[in-house]
Amino acid sequence: MPKKTAKPAKPVTKLNLIKNDPWLEPFAEAINGRHEDAIRKEKELVKGSRTLNEFANAHQYFGLHRNDDGTWVFREWAPNATGISLIGDFNGWKEGVHYALNRVEGSDGVWEITLPANALKHGDYYKMLVHWKGGDGERIPAYATRVVQDPETYLFSAQVWDAEPYQWSVEKFKPDTRPLLIYECHIGMAQQREGVGTYTEFRENVLPRIAADGYNAIQIMAIQEHPYYGSFGYHVSNFFAPSSRFGTPEELKQLIDAAHELGIAVIMDIVHSHAVKNESEGLGRLDGSYDLYFYGDGRREHPAWDSLCFDYGKNEVLHFLLSNCKYWLEEFHFDGFRFDGVTSMLYFNHGLGQAFGSYDDYYNGNQDTNAITYLTLANKLIHRINPSAITIAEEMSGMPGLAIPVKDGGIGFDYRMAMGIPDYWIKMLKEKKDEDWHPTSIFWELTNRRADEKTISYVESHDQALVGDKTVIFRLIDEKMYWHMMVDDNDFTVDRGMAMHKMIRLVTASTINGGYLNFMGNEFGHPEWIDFPREGNGWSYKYARRQWDLVDREDLKYKFLNNFDNAMIELISGVYNFQALPVEKLWEKDDDQILAFKRGDLVFVFNFNPSKSFTDYGVLTPPGEYTVVLSTDSPDFGGYGNIDESVHHLTIPDPLYQPHGVAWLRLYLPARSAQVLRLKRTRGRARKS
C-alpha cells in the first residue's frame, strides 16, 4: 500500500496588529497566543448557550426577582456556605425557617428560595445571614441592584426595589464620536452647595451647561455603589447597584434619557480592576471563603490600592463581570464604559515600579493572560450588544493592540487614554521656565502614538485635581486666583496663567486622533483642588463641589476661559471627522518657540515665546487666502486683542518652494498667543495683498 503522507500544516494567518507593525514580529507567538486564548475561552463559556450575549445573563438569574405570578425568587452563588437566610424588615432581622435558602442540587454552590408575593414589599431592607464552617456573617447579595446606607448607623443594606418600569423617551441612541468630546464628571460634587449632589440636580443644573459648552459625551464617575464616598467611587462594593447617595435608579435613568435628548452620550466609569476589601458591604468573604471572587493566595490584595483583586481565571468571575457590563448597557442605556485601572489588570505586578521602554517589556511573562482574556471578551460582548458602544481603556504602559479590534489581534477597546499628556504638562509647568518650552518637544509628545490606535487626549482629568496635587490653572496662578480674577484687575501672573491655560488646551485638543476630555469646571479654570470629606479635613464638603457662580459672574475672568473653551470645542466639532484628519507639521523653531501645523483647511499657529512678538513671521502653508477663525488673544477670551481677526491673509509665492506646493503665510504673532486660520478654497492663484 502507498505510504500515507502527513497533511501540510495549516498556515497561520498573520494578524493585522502584527502586519501593521513589523516590530511586533518577534512577539507574534505571544500575540497569537492571547488571541487564541480568548477564542478558546469564549467557546468554553458559551457551551449550553448560543452566544456570549446569552451567557452574560447572571444578573437575570441571581439576586432578587419577581416571577410572572407575583412571587419572589432569590438566588446566590456561595459554595462555601453551610446555610443562608434572608433577614430584614420583613422578619425583624432574625433568622427563620420561612426565609431560609436551599442549596440547589447538582449545582456548584447555588442557593435558592421562592417566597410568596406578600413576603416582601418595595422599600424593604434586607441582607443575607451566611453560615460557614467556623463562622457566620451578615452579607449584602452580590447581585443586589439597590443598596442603601442607614444615615444613623452608617450600615449598608440591600433594598427591595419593585418600581414601575422606566419609560424611555429615547429608546435607541447613537453617539456622535467624530470627534468624541468628553466632559468628565462626578454627580456628588457637581453641585454648588457643600453636600452631596443628586442625579436630579445634575440633570436639571449641569447637563444644560455641558450641552451649551458643546461636549457630546459625559463620562460619569462613581456610579457603582461604594461605602466610602472619599474613594471617588473606585472602591466598589456593589457592582450592580447605582449609588443610592445620589438618588434612585429611576432618577439615574432620567438623567441618561435627558442627556440622550440633548445628543449627549453617557459613558460609565466602570471598575472591574479591583474591589473594596469590606466584608459586610462587598464581595470579600461573601461565603466565608477568601477565594470566591478573588485570588486566595498572595495575589488577593492589591499592593498599592488596599483592595481585592479579581481572579479572572474563574469562569464564575467572568460570568459576574461580563453580566455586569451587559446590565449597565441594557438596564440603564449607558453608551459605553471607561475601564478603570487597566494597567493593573494587564500585569502580574500591576505595572508598579516598572518602566515600559521597549516591546520586550510587554511580552516578558509578566502579562496576566486571564485578565487580558476577560478584557477581550468584555469588548466583544459590549460591541455585540451595542455596535455603537464606546469603550475606553485607562492604561499607562502603552501595551500594543489595546485599542485594536479583536479580529485584528487586539484587545478591542475603541480608545485608550493618552495618560502621558497630562503628565507631560505637569512636568513642563513644574520643571521648565517659560523660555524653555520647545515646540519640537510639545508636538512630539502630543502626536507620539500608535497610528492604528485611537486615543483620548487631555490636559487634566480628575486625577490632576485631587488633594495633594494642583490643577493646571492653580499651578499657573496659585494664590493670586483669590485676589486678582476681577475683570478690571490687571495682574501679570493672572494674564500669563490665562494665556498659557488657553494655549495648552488648544494645542492638546487640536492634535487629537480620537477624542478630547475635560474634567468638569476645568474648562473655566476652577480654582483649588478636590478633597472629599474625611477625618483629616473635619468631614468637610468645601472642596468636594463646583463653584459654578464663578463662571456665571460677569465681574470675574473665569467667563473668558469658558468662552474660549466653548469656541475651541465649537471649532473642532464643526469639522466632520476632525480627529481623522492628518496632523501635518508646517513649522517648528525652538529658538523662536513657534509651532505651526495644519489639519484639513485649518492652520494652527502657536507662539509660546513669553516675551517676544513677531511681525510678518513666515510659515510655509498651502497657497491661498486665510482668515482667522480663533485667537487666544481675543478680548472675548481675556486677551489683549493684538491680533486683527478681520484681516484676510494672502500667501506670498516663493520660487524656491512653489514646486512643493507651499507659499509663505506671513502673520503677526503676539507673545504667548495662538491663532487658527482657515484656508478659503477659491479658484485661481492667490496673490499678494
Side-chain angles (χ1 to χ4, degrees):
M1 291 181 65
K3 190 175 180 181
K4 290 183 179 178
T5 56
K7 280 187 178 181
K10 186 179 179 181
V12 177
T13 304
K14 187 183 289 188
L15 295 166
N16 285 337
L17 172 61
I18 302 170
K19 281 183 187 177
N20 296 336
D21 186 352
W23 290 98
L24 288 173
E25 284 277 6
F27 312 102
E29 186 178 351
I31 294 169
N32 281 310
R34 76 183 188 192
H35 182 69
E36 293 298 323
D37 283 344
I39 293 173
R40 279 194 300 271
K41 179 56 72 172
E42 182 176 1
K43 288 179 180 177
E44 179 186 333
L45 295 178
V46 300
K47 283 179 181 176
S49 304
R50 285 178 295 179
T51 64
L52 193 62
N53 192 348
E54 290 180 344
F55 168 78
N57 282 329
H59 57 293
Q60 296 176 12
Y61 179 77
F62 292 109
L64 182 65
H65 301 280
R66 273 273 200 192
N67 291 319
D68 291 339
D69 62 1
T71 60
W72 298 91
V73 62
F74 176 82
R75 299 184 187 94
E76 188 73 35
W77 177 58
N80 190 57
T82 57
I84 302 178
S85 291
L86 292 181
I87 57 173
D89 294 336
F90 40 81
N91 61 1
W93 294 92
K94 294 179 182 178
E95 270 190 293
V97 293
H98 299 298
Y99 291 91
L101 279 67
N102 298 306
R103 194 170 187 130
V104 177
E105 287 187 24
S107 71
D108 182 23
V110 176
W111 295 77
E112 180 182 71
I113 187 173
T114 301
L115 295 167
N118 61 359
L120 305 172
K121 67 179 185 301
H122 176 70
D124 280 348
Y125 296 105
Y126 71 100
K127 290 184 182 182
M128 302 185 300
L129 181 56
V130 183
H131 296 270
W132 57 85
K133 289 180 181 178
D136 59 58
E138 293 183 0
R139 298 289 187 263
I140 293 175
Y143 290 83
T145 57
R146 173 76 172 167
V147 177
V148 178
Q149 185 178 26
D150 187 311
E152 294 182 3
T153 65
Y154 300 108
L155 297 176
F156 285 82
S157 299
Q159 188 175 29
V160 177
W161 204 253
D162 192 31
E164 288 293 320
Y166 181 78
Q167 300 300 312
W168 294 90
S169 297
V170 181
E171 277 293 343
K172 291 187 177 180
F173 177 77
K174 188 172 183 179
D176 180 5
T177 58
R178 300 171 301 217
L180 180 60
L181 302 168
I182 302 172
Y183 197 88
E184 186 188 30
C185 50
H186 183 284
I187 301 298
M189 62 171 290
Q191 79 301 327
Q192 173 88 25
R193 60 183 171 80
E194 294 187 26
V196 180
T198 67
Y199 298 124
T200 299
E201 286 177 307
F202 189 94
R203 173 174 56 83
E204 294 177 346
N205 303 326
V206 183
L207 263 182
R209 289 181 181 272
I210 298 169
D213 286 343
Y215 290 86
N216 58 23
I218 55 175
Q219 181 177 296
I220 311 182
M221 308 168 60
I223 290 296
Q224 294 166 295
E225 191 60 85
H226 45 289
Y228 179 44
Y229 187 48
S231 75
F232 230 139
Y234 290 121
H235 276 193
V236 174
S237 52
N238 313 106
F239 286 78
F240 288 84
S243 182
S244 61
R245 56 170 57 86
F246 308 138
T248 67
E250 287 67 40
E251 288 166 342
L252 173 57
K253 291 174 182 178
Q254 277 186 299
L255 187 165
I256 295 169
D257 210 8
H260 288 167
E261 288 184 300
L262 292 169
I264 297 172
V266 186
I267 301 166
M268 176 177 163
D269 201 342
I270 199 167
V271 184
H272 282 179
S273 48
H274 62 135
V276 74
K277 290 169 69 174
N278 302 35
E279 295 177 0
S280 58
E281 290 95 359
L283 298 174
R285 297 196 69 199
L286 185 134
D287 66 352
S289 66
Y290 290 89
D291 61 350
L292 184 64
Y293 288 96
F294 311 105
Y295 291 107
D297 53 18
R299 296 185 60 197
R300 185 173 190 265
E301 295 192 17
H302 197 289
W305 295 347
D306 191 33
S307 55
L308 302 179
C309 299
F310 284 107
D311 182 353
Y312 304 104
K314 294 180 77 168
N315 288 353
E316 294 85 356
V317 172
L318 297 183
H319 201 199
F320 179 83
L321 294 176
L322 290 171
S323 300
N324 194 236
C325 295
K326 181 176 181 177
Y327 168 76
W328 291 109
L329 288 173
E330 294 193 338
E331 181 66 24
F332 287 89
H333 290 202
F334 277 100
D335 300 295
F337 305 101
R338 179 260 204 189
F339 278 74
D340 176 68
V342 170
T343 305
S344 177
M345 300 171 70
L346 294 178
Y347 305 99
F348 290 127
N349 67 358
H350 305 292
L352 298 172
Q354 180 179 346
F356 295 90
S358 72
Y359 280 175
D360 294 294
D361 297 319
Y362 303 115
Y363 309 103
N364 57 8
N366 182 35
Q367 292 69 40
D368 188 336
T369 55
N370 289 333
I372 292 171
T373 293
Y374 163 65
L375 290 170
T376 304
L377 294 180
N379 276 294
K380 286 185 77 170
L381 172 70
I382 291 163
H383 291 107
R384 283 178 186 174
I385 294 170
N386 180 1
S388 300
I390 301 161
T391 59
I392 305 168
E394 191 234 11
E395 206 283 311
M396 50 72 61
S397 77
M399 177 181 276
L402 193 68
I404 295 288
V406 174
K407 64 180 176 61
D408 295 329
I411 296 176
F413 285 98
D414 297 304
Y415 305 88
R416 64 190 312 154
M417 301 291 290
M419 298 183 72
I421 293 178
D423 291 344
Y424 174 80
W425 288 124
I426 296 300
K427 185 178 177 67
M428 291 283 282
L429 290 166
K430 288 173 68 174
E431 300 177 8
K432 298 285 184 182
K433 296 178 181 178
D434 291 3
E435 54 266 32
D436 294 330
W437 282 39
H438 294 155
T440 53
S441 169
I442 293 170
F443 188 79
W444 186 88
E445 185 65 43
L446 295 177
T447 58
N448 175 35
R449 56 208 172 201
R450 297 183 62 81
D452 53 356
E453 299 193 48
K454 293 184 292 186
T455 60
I456 302 294
S457 300
Y458 59 109
V459 176
E460 52 188 339
S461 67
H462 69 275
D463 285 331
Q464 285 70 43
L466 291 170
V467 67
D469 208 336
K470 291 182 179 180
T471 58
V472 166
I473 196 68
F474 216 54
R475 287 188 184 280
L476 287 164
I477 302 178
D478 223 314
E479 77 278 355
K480 294 239 177 168
M481 293 193 77
Y482 300 126
W483 314 107
H484 299 286
M485 287 297 283
M486 301 294 289
V487 168
D488 57 356
D489 188 334
N490 297 316
D491 181 89
F492 171 79
T493 300
V494 171
D495 288 351
R496 166 189 173 266
M498 289 180 62
M500 295 182 75
H501 191 270
K502 290 178 285 186
M503 292 182 72
I504 289 170
R505 272 165 165 68
L506 180 61
V507 74
T508 302
S510 58
T511 50
I512 60 172
N513 78 329
Y516 174 75
L517 177 142
N518 167 70
F519 180 69
M520 63 176 184
N522 288 348
E523 70 277 7
F524 65 82
H526 196 287
E528 301 172 326
W529 51 85
I530 299 166
D531 189 12
F532 280 87
R534 55 189 173 85
E535 189 175 2
N537 65 14
W539 303 104
S540 169
Y541 287 88
K542 181 178 180 181
Y543 298 106
R545 61 192 181 106
R546 296 285 89 176
Q547 299 178 60
W548 301 109
D549 62 325
L550 296 177
V551 70
D552 292 339
R553 284 176 55 177
E554 287 297 320
D555 60 334
L556 296 179
K557 294 181 178 179
Y558 296 100
K559 66 178 182 179
F560 295 138
L561 296 178
N562 194 71
N563 290 344
F564 174 75
D565 196 81
N566 289 176
M568 179 184 76
I569 294 297
E570 182 180 11
L571 177 69
I572 291 172
S573 62
V575 178
Y576 178 75
N577 258 347
F578 175 84
Q579 80 291 344
L581 297 173
V583 184
E584 302 175 53
K585 184 163 55 180
L586 301 174
W587 193 267
E588 61 179 4
K589 206 164 187 296
D590 282 348
D591 49 354
D592 290 339
Q593 295 182 268
I594 303 297
L595 172 66
F597 55 86
K598 72 178 285 285
R599 300 195 81 165
D601 291 341
L602 296 178
V603 171
F604 299 81
V605 186
F606 296 82
N607 179 9
F608 289 98
N609 200 300
S611 57
K612 192 171 182 180
S613 299
F614 298 92
T615 303
D616 290 333
Y617 196 96
V619 176
L620 287 168
T621 65
E625 180 181 344
Y626 288 83
T627 56
V628 178
V629 292
L630 184 65
S631 164
T632 63
D633 196 50
S634 167
D636 292 339
F637 311 141
Y640 296 106
N642 289 324
I643 296 173
D644 188 345
E645 298 178 45
S646 66
V647 172
H648 288 225
H649 302 272
L650 300 176
T651 56
I652 302 170
D654 185 325
L656 185 64
Y657 294 103
Q658 249 175 326
H660 303 288
V662 292
W664 289 105
L665 175 64
R666 297 200 174 274
L667 303 168
Y668 175 54
L669 306 180
R672 283 202 191 101
S673 73
Q675 53 191 294
V676 186
L677 302 100
R678 177 174 278 124
L679 173 63
K680 184 179 179 183
R681 294 290 182 182
T682 56
R683 292 181 181 178
R685 192 167 123 187
R687 58 186 177 80
K688 186 176 178 181
S689 57

